[in-house]
Amino acid sequence: MSSKKSATAKKAQRATARKATERQAATQKGAEPKGTEPKGTARPDAGAAKATVTADAAPTGPRPARLTAAAALAAAEGVVLLGFGIYVLIMGLTGDPESPRQAEMLGVTVLALALLPLLAARGLWLRRRWSRGPAMITQLMALPVAWTLVQNGGGLLAAGVATAIAALAVLALLVNPTATEALGIGPRDA
């Protein structure tokens, strides 16, 4: 019950801070503060204005270490996928694969898949709200890949374990309330 009270208190503090920022911005622009328009003046929809401001603006304040770590891990996964895609594409073009078309298509597919964690990492770094979904989906897709690598054993065992650890770490970091709050995701939005 106390977590609900603290979440409500935090929400109220954010709303108060937002109103103070709006008042300060209005006075700097020379506009009259909200609620002081002359009678008979049409007022724009305040709800739409608030939605636009909160959707486009990144949250303020320092980036939490958990969010930074999640962005770095997601970027590292994207770079590894990018390198693997380039390797497979080059080997498909210059090597002697059984099926050059399949090797080239696999390389192009892996390159395309590398874009998702890279874009998600950039969004997490910039504290964009939308980035949490693609980052979590990428990690959920990495878990079956890690399992397959572990099942094949040999040299792939280490790669599978590393993939699983990275995916679980990013998921844990993104589910953390500190990270969701830093991305501007409230208790009901998560």
Side-chain angles (χ1 to χ4, degrees):
M1 197 67 164
S2 64
S3 65
K4 286 185 180 180
K5 288 180 183 179
S6 64
T8 306
K10 287 180 183 179
K11 192 173 183 179
Q13 287 175 346
R14 284 189 294 237
T16 305
R18 187 178 8 182
K19 287 178 185 177
T21 305
E22 289 175 353
R23 276 191 234 118
Q24 184 181 16
T27 56
Q28 287 176 351
K29 290 181 181 178
E32 294 179 11
K34 284 186 177 178
T36 60
E37 295 92 2
K39 290 186 179 181
T41 311
R43 220 176 129 200
D45 184 20
K50 282 184 183 179
T52 306
V53 169
T54 57
D56 294 338
T60 58
R63 182 183 318 104
R66 290 181 171 125
L67 194 59
T68 303
L73 282 171
E77 290 171 342
V79 168
V80 168
L81 275 174
L82 193 66
F84 180 66
I86 290 171
Y87 171 76
V88 170
L89 190 60
I90 290 172
M91 292 310 293
L93 293 172
T94 62
D96 189 26
E98 289 181 23
S99 174
R101 282 188 181 159
Q102 282 184 338
E104 292 164 9
M105 192 53 145
L106 176 64
V108 170
T109 303
V110 172
L111 286 175
L113 287 174
L115 293 177
L116 185 62
L118 290 172
L119 289 173
R122 184 175 187 277
L124 290 173
W125 184 262
L126 297 175
R127 295 174 63 181
R128 300 291 188 244
R129 183 182 185 149
W130 61 263
S131 62
R132 183 174 177 244
M136 291 183 76
I137 288 169
T138 302
Q139 305 317 312
L140 292 173
M141 289 184 339
L143 290 173
V145 172
W147 179 255
T148 303
L149 291 172
V150 167
Q151 292 298 315
N152 287 327
L156 298 176
L157 180 67
V161 170
T163 302
I165 289 172
L168 291 172
V170 173
L171 283 171
L173 291 168
L174 290 177
V175 172
N176 189 290
T178 305
T180 57
E181 194 172 296
L183 291 170
I185 300 171
R188 294 181 188 246
D189 296 336

